[in-house]
Every structure is written in structure tokens, then in C-alpha cells.
Amino acid sequence: MADFKGKPVELNAAPEVVFARLSDFSNLNEKLEELPAEMREAIGEVRFTPDSIIINAAPAGEMTLAITERIEPSRIVLSAVGSPVPLAMTINIAPGQAGGSVVSPVAEVQIPPMLKPFVGPKMQEAADKFGDMLRTLFNSSKA
């Protein structure tokens, strides 16, 4: 299993609030709708259901990440549904400064070591973009 750690991102909400919002992803649909068009474009095509995130991962098509583990208030694990390769995204939530929190996404994928140089950069980008998406959704002016 290869781990790709996204950059830690600061969120303007306490860990308990972040965990509660991420335990039901449908809460984020409204936040997504409130964002300016350029911010929504930067996030890309994404939809939220209560227990999953559906991402249009062109050219591969839609990918669904479903919640498979919750440890309140510090960790949520999502696993890819129907993926030919085992894939998981872990969201680690820790206390931050001034009552906020720090979120560290980790993408985990089971790939042969010889494929890591080819797949690794895309997985690292995915982990970083996941953190950026959370920062945008939580730190927008209407968060």
C-alpha cells in the first residue's frame, strides 16, 4: 500500500464541527452551491451524498468514495467503491490554532512498486486537491 499525504490545511472550525460536517457529506452540497463560479470550477465536478463523495475523474469517469470508518472527532476514512485497485482517502482532523483545526488528507492505494512512479504524482495531486477542496468549503465567507 502506498500512502500519499496531502498538505495539512487549516480550517476555521473546531475539530468537532469539522467531524460533524464531514460525517454527513450532504451538508457540503449547500456550501458548494454558495461558492463563486471560479471556486466551484477549481474544485471540479463533485457531488455529495450523506455517506459518499462522487468525483468526475476524467477521463476515467465517476469515482465514488464512501465512508467506511468514523472515529469521532479525529478521523474519517473513505474507500473507493467499485475500483479495480484498492483505494482509500483518510481525513485526519486535529486541533489547530485559535479554535480551528488542521486537516491532513492521506490517499492510500495498493499498487505494485514499479507503477508508483507513474501513478504517484497523480495520487499526490489528488491528496493535495482534496485538502484544498475542504479548505475552500470550510473557509469560504459563508462557512
Side-chain angles (χ1 to χ4, degrees):
M1 184 80 73
D3 292 349
F4 300 92
K5 296 178 179 162
K7 296 176 224 156
V9 295
E10 298 263 346
L11 302 183
N12 297 332
E16 296 78 17
V17 172
V18 172
F19 182 87
R21 286 187 189 162
L22 294 179
S23 287
D24 179 356
F25 287 119
S26 62
N27 294 323
L28 298 177
N29 279 317
E30 186 177 314
K31 292 283 179 208
L32 191 61
E33 301 275 330
E34 293 172 351
L35 293 174
E38 64 274 2
M39 287 181 136
R40 282 195 314 267
E41 220 173 278
I43 289 174
E45 290 184 48
V46 63
R47 294 188 325 269
F48 302 101
T49 70
D51 290 322
S52 66
I53 299 173
I54 302 156
I55 302 165
N56 185 353
E62 284 191 348
M63 179 172 68
T64 300
L65 295 169
I67 294 176
T68 54
E69 179 183 345
R70 291 179 178 100
I71 300 173
E72 190 172 353
S74 61
R75 178 179 162 103
I76 297 173
V77 178
L78 303 146
S79 297
V81 177
S83 173
V85 176
L87 171 70
M89 179 68 74
T90 301
I91 305 167
N92 295 305
I93 308 164
Q97 297 181 3
S101 56
V102 176
V103 173
S104 301
V106 179
E108 304 162 22
V109 63
Q110 192 168 337
I111 54 173
M114 65 184 182
L115 291 180
K116 190 173 179 181
F118 303 105
V119 177
K122 285 293 184 189
M123 291 304 301
Q124 185 61 55
E125 181 182 353
D128 290 337
K129 284 187 95 173
F130 195 86
D132 290 341
M133 175 188 70
L134 293 175
R135 180 183 320 135
T136 299
L137 290 170
F138 275 87
N139 294 353
S140 66
S141 60
K142 295 182 180 185

